[in-house]
């Protein structure tokens, strides 16, 4: 059977556990909040063996699973934002006070499943210019940090690699941290629009749909890069694979031709993805606002 593409370290860990692969150098911690309605799993890839087995860079991957995130519940959404703010502070220490943050909303605003990043930027509480002008007197909350943001678009719109744009901005603005927001691909449909992954390993724009661009990492930009993503698409082959799981082995073999190669290049999203993107963008932006803007 083929491997279905996923950007989630949690799903890669589930795969290697199921296949009983070598898990040396991989540590997993689990937490539950809000009476089990929010589940947080931290996967740490600590050795070269773990890098090889997981197929992902060394680092920390925190996954927040909220099965009801797609539902219309302001209180529940606020709980998710609060947990996200706490998780961001695990990877971006609250000290030193005044550390500046650049948020990059990656993706294509014109393609709805890829519009998460620009949507987050639209809802952020931008503070850098106000703090530069008026200093700490601008806000009653002393914990407000300088935050600026950019939605750099995609190469088809700008003719430039996203990393090239961010290298120029980082060189001029000199932020202490970069938070890169992007849409991801999942292996499991149950995690579509219901899961947030935060990692300290940076990001490769477009990798979720096989359109690999230049990586945005601490090594390439010279500052720590925190990646925040939500899966908004799954490969069409996932649907067939899930359906096939209920059949006997001989029927699964007969269905193999359905999975290649054209189906592997197709991606599926929710029929109400436009509403989901608006909702998820607000949840993520509020988490960032709570973490850094008081």
């Amino acid at each position: 059977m083929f491997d279905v593409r996923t950007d989630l370290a949690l799903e890669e860990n589930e795969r290697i556990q199921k296949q009983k692969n070598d898990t040396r150098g991989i540590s997993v911690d689990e937490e539950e909040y809000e009476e089990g309605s929010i589940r947080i799993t931290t996967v740490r890839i600590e050795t070269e063996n773990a890098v090889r087995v997981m197929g992902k860079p060394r680092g920390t991957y925190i996954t927040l699973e909220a099965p009801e995130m797609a539902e219309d519940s302001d209180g529940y959404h606020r709980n998710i934002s609060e947990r996200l703010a706490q998780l961001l502070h695990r990877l971006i220490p609250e000290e030193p006070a005044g550390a500046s943050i650049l948020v990059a909303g990656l993706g294509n605003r014109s393609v709805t499943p890829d519009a998460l990043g620009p949507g987050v930027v639209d809802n952020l509480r931008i503070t850098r210019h106000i703090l530069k002008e008026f200093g700490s007197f601008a806000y009653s909350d002393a914990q407000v940090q300088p935050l600026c943001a950019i939605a750099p678009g995609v190469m088809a719109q700008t003719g430039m690699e996203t990393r090239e744009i961010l290298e120029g901005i980082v060189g001029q603005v000199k932020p202490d941290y970069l938070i890169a927001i992007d849409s991801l691909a999942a292996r499991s449909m149950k995690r579509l629009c219901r899961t947030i992954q935060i990692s300290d390993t940076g990001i490769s724009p477009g990798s979720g749909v096989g359109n690999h661009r230049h990586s945005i990492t601490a090594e390439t930009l010279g500052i720590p890069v925190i990646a925040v993503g939500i899966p908004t698409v799954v490969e069409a082959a996932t649907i067939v694979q899930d359906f096939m799981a209920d059949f006997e082995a001989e029927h699964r073999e007969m269905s193999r031709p359905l999975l290649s190669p054209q189906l592997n290049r197709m991606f599926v999203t929710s029929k109400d993805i436009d509403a989901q993107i608006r909702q998820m963008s607000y949840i993520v932006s509020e988490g960032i606002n709570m973490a850094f803007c008081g």
Side-chain angles (χ1 to χ4, degrees):
M1 185 58 68
F2 65 96
D3 285 329
V4 178
R5 181 180 292 112
T6 180
D7 290 316
L8 300 179
L10 174 63
E11 291 187 331
E12 284 296 336
N13 183 63
E14 289 174 346
R15 175 186 62 81
I16 65 172
Q17 294 285 348
K18 184 176 181 180
Q19 296 177 354
K20 299 182 179 179
N21 290 343
D22 186 355
T23 58
R24 289 175 299 170
I26 303 172
S27 64
V28 180
D29 297 315
E30 297 180 347
E31 310 162 62
E32 286 191 358
Y33 298 94
E34 317 305 334
E35 298 181 347
S37 64
I38 295 178
R39 184 183 183 89
I40 296 173
T41 305
T42 302
V43 177
R44 294 182 179 85
I45 301 176
E46 301 169 334
T47 65
E48 288 305 313
N49 174 72
V51 170
R52 177 182 57 80
V53 172
M54 291 282 286
K56 294 186 178 297
R58 185 186 303 218
T60 300
Y61 299 80
I62 305 174
T63 305
L64 186 157
E65 295 180 273
E68 305 302 320
M69 187 160 68
E71 304 301 323
D72 188 11
S73 173
D74 290 342
Y76 185 54
H77 294 164
R78 181 170 181 81
N79 290 339
I80 297 172
S81 296
E82 290 173 349
R83 292 299 171 190
L84 175 59
Q86 294 169 3
L87 296 177
L88 286 170
H89 276 309
R90 290 187 189 182
L91 300 180
I92 301 180
E94 297 185 50
E95 297 295 337
S100 59
I101 310 293
L102 168 63
V103 178
L106 309 184
N108 188 341
R109 191 185 295 273
S110 301
V111 179
T112 306
D114 197 30
L116 175 69
V120 170
V121 167
D122 290 345
N123 290 297
L124 287 176
R125 196 176 305 147
I126 304 301
T127 61
R128 177 177 180 268
H129 61 304
I130 297 175
L131 288 170
K132 284 191 67 175
E133 182 72 21
F134 301 106
S136 59
F137 299 102
Y139 296 97
S140 58
D141 188 345
Q143 300 302 314
V144 174
Q145 296 175 237
L147 187 143
C148 55
I150 183 71
V154 295
M155 193 174 189
Q157 297 170 324
T158 65
M160 295 176 283
E161 289 279 359
T162 302
R163 192 181 79 185
E164 293 176 323
I165 297 173
L166 294 179
E167 283 176 338
I169 295 173
V170 168
Q172 289 294 317
V173 176
K174 295 180 173 54
D176 295 300
Y177 295 90
L178 171 68
I179 300 177
I181 315 292
D182 202 7
S183 300
L184 306 178
R187 175 179 287 123
S188 171
M189 293 183 63
K190 70 180 182 181
R191 293 194 170 100
L192 198 66
C193 302
R194 294 173 175 85
T195 303
I196 304 174
Q197 177 175 271
I198 310 102
S199 72
D200 59 3
T201 61
I203 198 166
S204 179
S207 61
V209 294
N211 182 26
H212 295 272
R213 310 308 312 170
H214 290 213
S215 296
I216 299 168
T217 65
E219 289 72 26
T220 59
L221 292 185
I223 60 172
V225 178
I226 307 302
V228 178
I230 297 178
T232 60
V233 297
V234 296
E235 280 190 300
T238 297
I239 300 172
V240 179
Q241 186 184 45
D242 290 347
F243 178 75
M244 288 163 50
D246 296 328
F247 287 83
E248 298 296 331
E250 60 269 21
H251 293 110
R252 292 200 298 269
E253 289 298 320
M254 291 172 60
S255 300
R256 280 178 183 264
L258 295 174
L259 302 176
S260 63
Q262 291 80 10
L263 197 59
N264 290 343
R265 295 199 297 265
M266 295 180 63
F267 289 84
V268 180
T269 191
S270 171
K271 68 178 181 180
D272 61 343
I273 189 62
D274 52 344
Q276 296 291 345
I277 286 291
R278 286 194 297 271
Q279 187 164 272
M280 293 184 298
S281 298
Y282 185 75
I283 290 171
V284 173
S285 64
E286 278 300 283
I288 295 173
N289 289 336
M290 290 177 184
F292 307 111
C293 302

